[in-house]
Amino acid sequence: MIKQGDTRMKTNKAIHLWSGMLLAVITMSMLSGCASHRDMVSAAGADSNAQREQVVVAVSAEPSTLDPCQGWGHGNTPLIQSTLIKYNEDMHFERDLAVDYSLDETGLVWTFQLRDDAKFTDGEAVTAADVVFTFETAKAAQASLDLTFLEKVEAINDTTVTFLLSRPTSVFLNTAASVGIIPAHAYDADYGINPVGSGPWKFVQWNPQEQLILEANEDYYGTVPSIKKVTVVFMTEDAAFAAVQAGQVDVALTAATLADRKIDGYHLARVTSVDNRGFTLPVLPSEGKVTESGYPIGNDVTCNLEIRQAIACAIDRELVAETALNGFAMPCYSENDGMPWNNPEVIIQTDADYARKMLADAGWLDSDGDGIVEKNGIEASFTVLYPSGDSVRQAVALAAAEQVKPVGIHINVEGTSWDDLAKRMFSDGVMMGWGAANPYESYCLYQSKGAFQDDFYNPEGYQSEITDKYLSAAMEALTAEEAYENWQLAQWDGETGTCMKGVCPWVWIVNVDHLYYVRDGLDIGNQQLHPHGASMPLLQNLHEWHWTSEEG
């Protein structure tokens, strides 16, 4: 069994890696990236008074739609639309459109009382009928939101709405915090590209692959943003870096390999996250089985628990963060580090000697002296895939592979397309990334019925009746405290669980920091703990941003 230990976080150091390569990339980006976006963001150097009421933000990920029923805002704030409730910076729920809400004693009926002063940006009042329409439309769409547990939603009057669930579902409030309310009277096929909402921001214009423009909603029932115009431009991280150097944007998402550069007029904002990176490792042997889609299942090396746990023990997560990501990451031990439902006992200590002992005790020996242990004629060698072009996943995977070599395990790190990865992820390891503000993610990652599906959640094939019991109890709990207890037991109950001390279907390595260059004089507020993806999480508190001095 893997030993538990405390991990002290070292002072993060900026280590200059691949400086010559980066300089070449940056130079090329300045020659091409700046020119292609010059017209779009040239306003950044315009009249200073006007500029103090607007910001230009460069991010890398563009939404596919602005329709909450098709996935917009799930896991983040929808900006344009309001939600019934929302998260505060401590990841606790606050009221938004709802002034009150309650759950009956059966755990099946939620009742929400709505505020009576909310209006859509076309002047129409927000009513319970709009809430009903939103959730019925979202359920019918069957997009990224799971509403299979929703039996019926009903408007009792203009300001009262009830939800009847088919079973108690503790994550219902997390779901409610993700669904932006849409207007029944103004919803059509073009809503996703020309939305109307009741949130703090009003939609103005969207030029796909270029920019999204928002304006402050002056009729917002809450505090109206002090920044009146926001232009979100979609750039690669290299192009965004060049745009910062040219002073063309106010905020820009950047990469760990670029963030150690000092740029006059800007400071680096470093936001902690639950955006994790780690290996999935197939837990079954290769026996000729295939998934429903026909892809091979199993790996004769990673199916051995001692192999998976030895890898987990051998990796120095602090060293990976420092050497691979310039110190812009934190050690990771689960899919939900730092969340209220995380079990703190999942933390393990780095111990290469213990990893070697586990392998030797299980019969893995280097009999031919090639540096790789073997057992029953099988070498401890396997492949871990990452999506080509993802420098962070590549760097983390390579650093981890180097650290397991001394214990006799060889990991071949291979970049490939997402299409190829989707076919091979059931038989090879994969450098994955998850992290959400919803414990339902843990249910998706580890429930037995989710194994070997094409959705990337459980390709390693983890299945456990004990874990299923805890996950079901967490989902059906009537209080947050009861739910949290069972989420934690699913991770580790003292004998088994999903964590690295347990069955270890994942080897968690780091939570990456989300990094942004911010123009001096602009305050981007207190950021929440960011989930997976560094673009949209940045904008969760956009309504709180403000200029603090004439520097901007």
Side-chain angles (χ1 to χ4, degrees), residues 90-103:
D90 297 320
M91 303 308 297
H92 295 127
F93 295 119
E94 287 184 351
R95 292 161 177 78
D96 191 5
L97 277 175
V99 295
D100 198 12
Y101 57 91
S102 61
L103 176 65

Side-chain angles (χ1 to χ4, degrees), residues 158-216:
D158 281 351
T159 57
T160 306
V161 61
T162 61
F163 295 83
L164 174 63
L165 310 185
S166 59
R167 59 185 183 276
T169 306
S170 64
V171 297
F172 177 72
L173 289 181
N174 303 89
T175 301
S178 295
V179 183
I181 304 304
I182 60 177
H185 67 275
Y187 187 79
D188 56 24
D190 293 330
Y191 183 85
I193 58 175
N194 188 24
V196 173
S198 58
W201 299 99
K202 181 178 180 179
F203 173 80
V204 177
Q205 182 180 337
W206 183 13
N207 303 111
Q209 300 180 358
E210 292 184 2
Q211 64 182 353
L212 171 66
I213 301 176
L214 306 174
E215 289 182 352

Side-chain angles (χ1 to χ4, degrees), residues 24-73:
V25 170
I26 293 166
T27 302
M28 292 178 65
S29 298
M30 289 189 68
L31 292 175
S32 59
C34 287
S36 63
H37 291 88
R38 188 178 304 279
D39 292 339
M40 188 182 346
V41 297
S42 60
D47 178 76
S48 60
N49 291 330
Q51 275 307 107
R52 291 187 57 76
E53 292 190 346
Q54 58 184 291
V55 295
V56 179
V57 184
V59 296
S60 58
E62 181 175 13
S64 59
T65 179
L66 301 178
D67 181 355
C69 297
Q70 296 295 331
W72 168 245

Side-chain angles (χ1 to χ4, degrees), residues 193-453:
I193 58 175
N194 188 24
V196 173
S198 58
W201 299 99
K202 181 178 180 179
F203 173 80
V204 177
Q205 182 180 337
W206 183 13
N207 303 111
Q209 300 180 358
E210 292 184 2
Q211 64 182 353
L212 171 66
I213 301 176
L214 306 174
E215 289 182 352
N217 179 5
E218 298 295 340
D219 295 322
Y220 181 52
Y221 52 81
T223 302
V224 176
S226 64
I227 291 173
K228 302 307 178 185
K229 180 181 178 181
V230 177
T231 302
V232 181
V233 295
F234 307 111
M235 295 179 170
T236 65
E237 289 172 349
D238 290 331
F241 185 82
V244 170
Q245 288 186 312
Q248 294 177 318
V249 297
D250 299 304
V251 183
L253 169 65
T254 194
T257 49
L258 298 173
D260 61 343
R261 297 288 296 273
K262 173 65 178 174
I263 301 178
D264 289 342
Y266 291 84
H267 59 277
L268 184 71
R270 177 178 178 177
V271 182
T272 56
S273 82
V274 68
D275 192 352
N276 46 62
R277 299 293 183 272
F279 298 147
T280 57
L281 297 176
V283 300
L284 297 182
S286 177
E287 298 176 331
K289 297 179 181 179
V290 297
T291 69
E292 290 184 4
S293 299
Y295 305 135
I297 289 173
N299 186 294
D300 289 334
V301 177
T302 64
C303 69
N304 296 280
L305 176 62
E306 64 272 11
I307 290 286
R308 302 195 300 272
Q309 289 189 334
I311 294 170
C313 273
I315 295 173
D316 185 332
R317 290 158 178 80
E318 292 185 9
L319 187 60
V320 170
E322 290 185 0
T323 59
L325 300 175
N326 283 342
F328 295 120
M330 300 287 281
C332 177
Y333 303 97
S334 75
E335 74 276 14
N336 52 33
D337 288 7
M339 290 299 184
W341 50 89
N342 175 260
N343 188 336
E345 294 186 13
V346 302
I347 294 176
I348 61 173
Q349 65 183 10
T350 301
D351 193 336
D353 289 338
Y354 186 65
R356 293 187 190 94
K357 183 178 186 303
M358 277 194 294
L359 293 172
D361 289 348
W364 292 91
L365 303 172
D366 181 11
S367 58
D368 57 8
D370 66 351
I372 303 175
V373 297
E374 65 271 347
K375 178 181 178 181
N376 299 328
I378 298 175
E379 281 193 335
S381 177
F382 63 96
T383 295
V384 166
L385 306 171
Y386 71 92
S388 298
D390 191 323
S391 61
V392 169
R393 298 191 199 206
Q394 179 188 33
V396 172
L398 288 171
E402 282 297 315
Q403 291 189 19
V404 302
K405 280 184 179 179
V407 304
I409 296 175
H410 175 260
I411 298 177
N412 173 48
V413 177
E414 179 185 341
T416 188
S417 67
W418 275 109
D419 286 343
D420 183 55
L421 189 150
K423 298 173 184 177
R424 298 170 57 187
M425 63 183 178
F426 310 101
S427 55
D428 288 322
V430 178
M431 175 58 71
M432 289 283 196
W434 290 103
N438 189 336
Y440 184 62
E441 180 181 78
S442 296
Y443 183 82
C444 295
L445 286 172
Y446 298 118
Q447 57 169 324
S448 293
K449 66 181 181 181
F452 306 122
Q453 301 301 308

